[in-house]
């Protein structure tokens, strides 16, 4: 039978060292709040019930953690008296009776499902407490895991540790699974008689053992258990997250020339055989399909690039940009809420917003869709196989039919029918022999000025 599990997510910290006006768990990694990453890992570990222990920004934290595949409740920890005290804030929910409890921290966003599952398996196999530890060359302020003969004997907080204990390099990541049937009784026995005067969750190990139970430590990497206390640590976690995701994408078949210069969002989807050149930034909501090329220095957000399409160098795709197969958006072009049809080209220096561009149409250099009248946005529709000459301003709402040709330098304010040719510019006049006369007049003006 499936065991029931309640995850308890501790997120009541003051975030003092972040020097932030909002709770640190709301700060983003890869464009989404840290806490959402934690919830992701819980869901991937099979957790369906969770309780958030919040302090400041409770409503915002609950909103950031929300997801459809989990039942999530929120409890407030009004005084911050330690991790053991924080878990007890959820006492009423724990009392409903779960087989397993899984305590995680809201500020440990890189944890993967594997050690969470392993800790839960240890509880299923008969342990009362299973903590998640890691080896560290710099164990510093971490709690130390004291292991003897495969059993976890105790967790000693750095401030309470003897010199010999401080020499231990096996550290407590802070996350732990606990037997849900015994948890409340054990949690209520935690005292605050220690160096920090806090209720330490870590005391559960010795308390469980004193009651005749077992504790174990499962291992994870230091990388995935890294916490976030400062903006510098936030940037470091971002770096680790980016490295992890780039690696996964490359292993899935995506080419990156200089992966360390490519920045991905939490939901970036890139198909195999896509080439990403150096210095590309992905905001949220981007999907790139097979054989597309994203050239250097491009910025994409909320965009869908179909197979064989080419973007940049120096292109900006904003939300709602959709490049159909083999479309091309070249240098210094901005595309927003616009459909660029299959094989269509927007090669240089253009703004295409709130627009439809048909298949195989060519948009000349410097074309601008004038989509905004200062109050409202309007749509530009351009058919298939059309040609828009360079430096054309398309004043929306306006439509250009299939196969139509717009002369360069036009300001198009009225619809152009299919196969029509439109000129929207002043006619050129040429006056033969007039240049020397003008030049002489200008020179006389200059001489007159210099006399004064
Ligand atoms: C804790 C562990 C330590 C471990 C370290 C790993 C304890 C006693 N110690 O120490 O062994 O090596 O994590 O990073 O558990 N929180 C609340 N309410 C509270 C106290 C804490 O919600 O009253 C939350 C914090 O916001 C944070 C988490 O619990 O997300 C951990 O608390 P923190 O004070 O950072 O614990 P550490 O001293 O780092
Ligand atoms: Ca901490």
């Amino acid at each position: 039978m499936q065991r029931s599990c309640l995850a308890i997510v501790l997120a009541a910290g003051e975030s003092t060292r972040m020097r932030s006006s909002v709770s640190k768990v709301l700060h983003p990694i890869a464009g989404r709040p840290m806490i959402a990453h934690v919830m992701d890992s819980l869901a991937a570990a099979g957790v369906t019930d969770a309780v958030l222990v919040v302090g400041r920004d409770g409503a915002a934290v609950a909103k950031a953690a929300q997801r459809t595949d989990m039942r999530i409740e929120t409890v407030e920890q009004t005084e911050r008296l330690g991790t053991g005290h924080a878990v007890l804030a959820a006492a009423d929910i724990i009392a409903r009776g779960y087989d397993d409890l899984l305590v995680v921290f809201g500020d440990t966003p890189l944890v993967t499902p594997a050690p969470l599952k392993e800790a839960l398996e240890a509880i299923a196999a008969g342990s009362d407490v299973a903590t998640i530890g890691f080896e560290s060359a710099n164990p510093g302020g971490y709690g130390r895991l004291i292991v003897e003969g495969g059993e976890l004997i105790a967790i000693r907080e750095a401030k309470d540790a003897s010199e010999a204990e401080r020499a231990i390099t096996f550290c407590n990541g802070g996350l732990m699974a606990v037997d849900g049937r015994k948890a409340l009784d054990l949690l209520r026995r935690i005292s605050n008689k220690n160096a920090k005067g806090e209720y330490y969750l870590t005391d559960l190990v010795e308390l469980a053992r004193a009651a005749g139970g077992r504790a174990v430590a499962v291992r994870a990497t230091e990388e995935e258990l890294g916490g976030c206390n400062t903006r510098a640590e936030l940037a470091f976690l971002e770096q680790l997250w980016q490295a992890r995701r780039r690696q996964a994408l490359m292993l899935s078949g995506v080419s990156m020339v200089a992966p360390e210069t490519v920045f991905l969002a939490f939901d970036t989807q890139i198909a195999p055989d896509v080439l990403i050149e150096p210095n590309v930034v992905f905001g949220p909501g981007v999907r790139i399909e097979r054989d597309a090329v994203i050239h250097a220095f491009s910025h994409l957000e909320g965009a869908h690039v179909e197979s064989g399409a080419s973007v940049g160098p120096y292109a900006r795709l904003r939300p709602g940009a959709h490049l159909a197969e083999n479309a091309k958006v070249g240098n210094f072009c901005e595309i927003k809420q616009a459909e660029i049809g299959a094989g269509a080209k927007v090669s240089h220096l253009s703004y295409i917003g709130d627009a439809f561009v048909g298949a195989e149409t060519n948009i000349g250099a410097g074309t601008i869709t004038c989509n905004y009248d200062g109050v409202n946005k309007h749509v530009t529709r351009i058919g298939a196989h059309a040609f828009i000459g360079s430096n054309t301003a398309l004043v929306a709402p306006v439509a250009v039919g299939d196969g139509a040709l717009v002369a360069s330098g036009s300001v198009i304010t009225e619809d152009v029918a299919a196969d029509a040719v439109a000129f929207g510019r002043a006619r050129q006049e040429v006056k033969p022999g007039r240049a020397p006369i003008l030049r002489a007049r200008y020179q006389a003006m200059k001489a007159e000025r210099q006399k004064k």
Side-chain angles (χ1 to χ4, degrees):
M1 221 197 72
Q2 174 96 38
R3 296 169 64 86
S4 61
C5 174
L6 174 71
I8 301 170
V9 184
L10 304 192
E14 294 289 341
S15 312
T16 323
R17 283 178 290 161
M18 289 290 280
R19 299 186 181 279
S20 174
S21 60
V22 298
S23 162
K24 65 179 165 184
V25 303
L26 295 173
H27 283 260
I29 303 275
R32 115 205 256 220
M34 221 184 286
I35 186 108
H37 290 268
V38 175
M39 302 311 286
D40 247 7
S41 289
L42 288 174
V47 172
T48 54
D49 292 54
V51 50
L52 308 172
V53 180
V54 299
R56 62 188 289 196
D57 298 325
V61 171
K63 186 158 178 271
Q66 206 53 47
R67 54 193 298 136
T68 52
D69 57 358
M70 252 192 225
R71 279 179 294 273
I72 303 174
E73 293 171 82
T74 304
V75 296
E76 200 185 334
Q77 184 193 21
T78 37
E79 279 178 301
R80 204 169 167 279
L81 303 179
T83 48
H85 179 261
V87 171
L88 271 177
D92 289 348
I93 298 171
I94 298 170
R96 289 179 202 155
Y98 288 87
D99 296 317
D100 307 320
L101 299 187
L102 183 59
V103 181
V104 299
F105 294 169
D107 67 349
T108 309
L110 299 195
V111 67
T112 65
L116 301 179
K117 282 192 210 164
E118 209 185 319
L120 289 171
E121 279 157 18
I123 304 299
S127 290
D128 295 337
V129 178
T131 185
I132 300 172
F134 60 93
E135 284 292 339
S136 177
N138 297 302
Y142 287 115
R144 305 300 203 275
L145 298 178
I146 305 172
V147 177
E148 277 173 26
E151 300 267 322
L152 180 61
I153 305 296
I155 304 176
R156 195 73 69 231
E157 288 305 292
K159 282 200 173 147
D160 301 276
S162 67
E163 207 163 317
E165 287 167 338
R166 266 201 297 274
I168 295 171
T169 54
F170 192 23
C171 299
N172 180 28
L175 320 186
M176 65 165 75
V178 185
D179 182 321
R181 310 288 169 185
K182 298 181 184 167
L184 268 185
D185 177 46
L186 294 174
L187 284 164
R188 288 186 172 129
R189 290 192 223 169
I190 295 175
S191 84
N192 63 354
K193 293 187 180 58
N194 52 49
K196 283 167 111 180
E198 283 187 5
Y199 294 87
Y200 291 162
L201 178 64
T202 47
D203 283 358
L204 282 191
V205 172
E206 284 167 286
L207 291 168
R209 287 176 59 83
R214 261 195 97 199
V216 292
V218 305
R219 282 174 194 271
T221 60
E222 182 167 13
E223 254 185 27
E224 68 177 288
L225 293 173
C228 179
N229 298 302
T230 64
R231 309 257 181 172
E233 284 172 359
L234 179 68
F236 182 62
L237 293 179
E238 176 80 37
Q239 190 185 320
L240 293 175
W241 187 96
Q242 292 290 340
R244 192 195 267 182
R245 187 53 65 91
R246 289 171 194 136
Q247 183 73 6
L249 282 172
M250 288 189 285
L251 293 180
S252 77
V254 174
S255 286
M256 295 188 194
V257 178
E260 68 283 5
T261 66
V262 173
F263 294 88
L264 303 156
F266 68 97
D267 61 350
T268 306
Q269 295 178 50
I270 308 179
D273 285 324
V274 166
L275 168 63
I276 313 286
E277 289 188 352
N279 297 297
V280 171
V281 176
F282 292 95
V286 174
R287 181 149 64 100
I288 313 287
E289 297 192 24
R290 275 183 180 267
D291 300 315
V293 179
I294 312 299
H295 293 281
F297 297 100
S298 293
H299 189 286
L300 299 83
E301 182 181 356
H304 178 193
V305 176
E306 291 202 53
S307 59
S310 168
V311 175
Y314 297 97
R316 178 166 186 213
L317 301 189
R318 291 174 52 204
H322 177 194
L323 277 54
E325 283 185 18
N326 302 314
K328 179 186 174 193
V329 170
N331 42 238
F332 308 109
C333 293
E334 175 180 340
I335 310 290
K336 186 219 73 169
Q337 193 62 51
E339 177 102 26
I340 309 298
K345 291 190 174 68
V346 185
S347 297
H348 336 266
L349 299 155
S350 286
Y351 170 63
I352 305 294
D354 301 307
F356 296 88
V357 175
E360 304 293 336
T361 282
N362 188 85
I363 305 286
T367 296
I368 305 290
T369 53
C370 310
N371 61 330
Y372 189 45
D373 59 15
V375 182
N376 299 299
K377 297 280 169 71
H378 302 283
V379 173
T380 302
R381 291 174 198 279
I382 302 170
H385 297 277
F387 179 91
I388 308 295
S390 295
N391 199 31
T392 292
L394 296 154
V395 183
V398 74
V400 176
D402 292 346
L405 206 152
V406 172
S408 75
S410 290
V411 177
I412 297 295
T413 53
E414 277 162 43
D415 290 358
V416 179
D419 292 326
V421 175
F423 285 84
R425 65 187 188 209
R427 274 211 181 270
Q428 178 171 323
E429 260 186 76
V430 178
K431 306 204 168 165
R434 185 74 190 259
I437 298 166
L438 267 189
R439 205 172 291 122
R441 186 193 292 168
Y442 297 153
Q443 273 159 358
M445 283 163 71
K446 187 175 181 184
E448 191 63 27
R449 201 171 56 244
Q450 281 168 348
K451 261 195 267 168
K452 285 182 195 163

